Amino acid sequence: MPEWGLAAIGGGAAGGALVLGAAIAWFVRVPDRVTATIMAFGAGVLISALAFDLVLEAEETSGLLLTSAAFLAGAVVYVAANLTLHRLGQRAKPGTAADSTGSGIAIGALLDGVPESAIIGLTAASSGALSIPLLVAVGISNVPEGLSSTAAMKASGRSRASVFRLWGTIGAVCAVSSLAGYFGLGALDEHARSVTQAVAAGAILAMICDTMIPDAFRRTGAFTGLAATVGFLGSFMLHVAV
């Protein structure tokens, strides 16, 4: 299979995890604590993947100073974008219930999903293969996002057709973002790619701390730390094994 095909599959799988979460929420009643535990586990998995599959590789290519600056810049950009969306009322604030409007959910999912999918495509271009730990991390973190958001939409009276049309569109955008990462970011030289990885890693870590962990803690309390630790360890073991 061509490398661009792998990138498309990876982005499609990441977006498909959102659709899977939506399907579970629509057809199965999942307790909030279960959803939150999965979210905390996914946060730990993502943190491990960022550390070992993005930041460490970027530092080996571009050095500590440039990698650190890019990592911090990514976090600043994400936080600034997130604060702007909060002011516009388009995204739920950290620690509160998920926004139940279609536009808010779409913007929030895209804000998280586009850089994640683009990096999946970039890693396919850089290494000629998908990063399994990163793909697993993104997939696990996306399932509870689709699940909790869809549960809120269902409770607000949204139709099944509109809900799945929304998530299907977002899933398709994730696949396209992965291809954009492959063809666009993959065309950069080695140092530019590593800096891009570090920027994305900083943005994703800021997202984890601003949204995933506070939302999980709100519903599971002290078990959040344990679930995140197990997720980190599992992803680290997968990284070493692969």
Side-chain angles (χ1 to χ4, degrees):
M1 178 179 292
E3 293 175 3
W4 65 265
L6 292 175
I9 290 174
L18 291 167
V19 180
L20 174 62
I24 293 172
W26 195 270
F27 297 107
V28 181
R29 183 177 178 81
V30 181
D32 278 352
R33 290 180 66 87
V34 173
T35 302
T37 300
I38 296 172
M39 186 173 295
F41 179 85
V45 172
L46 261 182
I47 292 171
S48 178
L50 298 180
F52 298 108
D53 289 301
L54 296 182
V55 178
L56 183 60
E57 290 182 5
E59 190 278 330
E60 291 172 349
T61 301
S62 297
L64 179 60
L65 279 179
L66 185 55
T67 299
S68 299
F71 184 75
L72 181 59
V76 169
V77 169
Y78 177 87
V79 170
N82 213 18
L83 288 174
T84 300
L85 291 176
H86 287 161
R87 292 193 186 98
L88 294 174
Q90 294 297 314
R91 193 166 190 191
K93 294 180 180 179
T96 65
D99 188 334
S100 62
T101 66
S103 60
I105 294 167
I107 292 173
L110 287 175
L111 187 62
D112 302 340
V114 168
E116 293 171 346
S117 299
I119 289 301
I120 289 173
L122 174 58
T123 56
S126 300
S127 63
L130 291 174
S131 170
I132 300 303
L134 180 60
L135 185 59
V136 169
V138 172
I140 291 176
S141 67
N142 280 354
V143 168
E145 183 175 3
L147 199 159
S148 59
S149 298
T150 299
M153 285 193 288
K154 183 178 180 180
S156 70
R158 290 286 294 271
S159 70
R160 182 171 63 181
S162 67
V163 168
F164 284 97
R165 185 165 53 247
L166 173 66
W167 288 113
T169 300
I170 294 173
V173 170
C174 288
V176 172
S177 298
S178 186
L179 284 173
Y182 176 84
F183 287 110
L185 301 179
L188 301 174
D189 63 35
E190 186 178 30
H191 287 286
R193 288 199 301 268
S194 67
V195 168
T196 302
Q197 285 185 198
V199 170
I204 295 170
L205 181 58
M207 177 273 293
I208 292 170
C209 296
D210 279 357
T211 59
M212 293 180 68
I213 291 177
D215 190 48
F217 186 81
R218 180 175 60 85
R219 291 182 282 177
T220 63
F223 288 103
T224 301
L226 179 60
T229 300
V230 173
F232 183 97
L233 180 60
S235 179
F236 175 71
M237 294 173 67
L238 179 61
H239 175 85
V240 172
V242 173

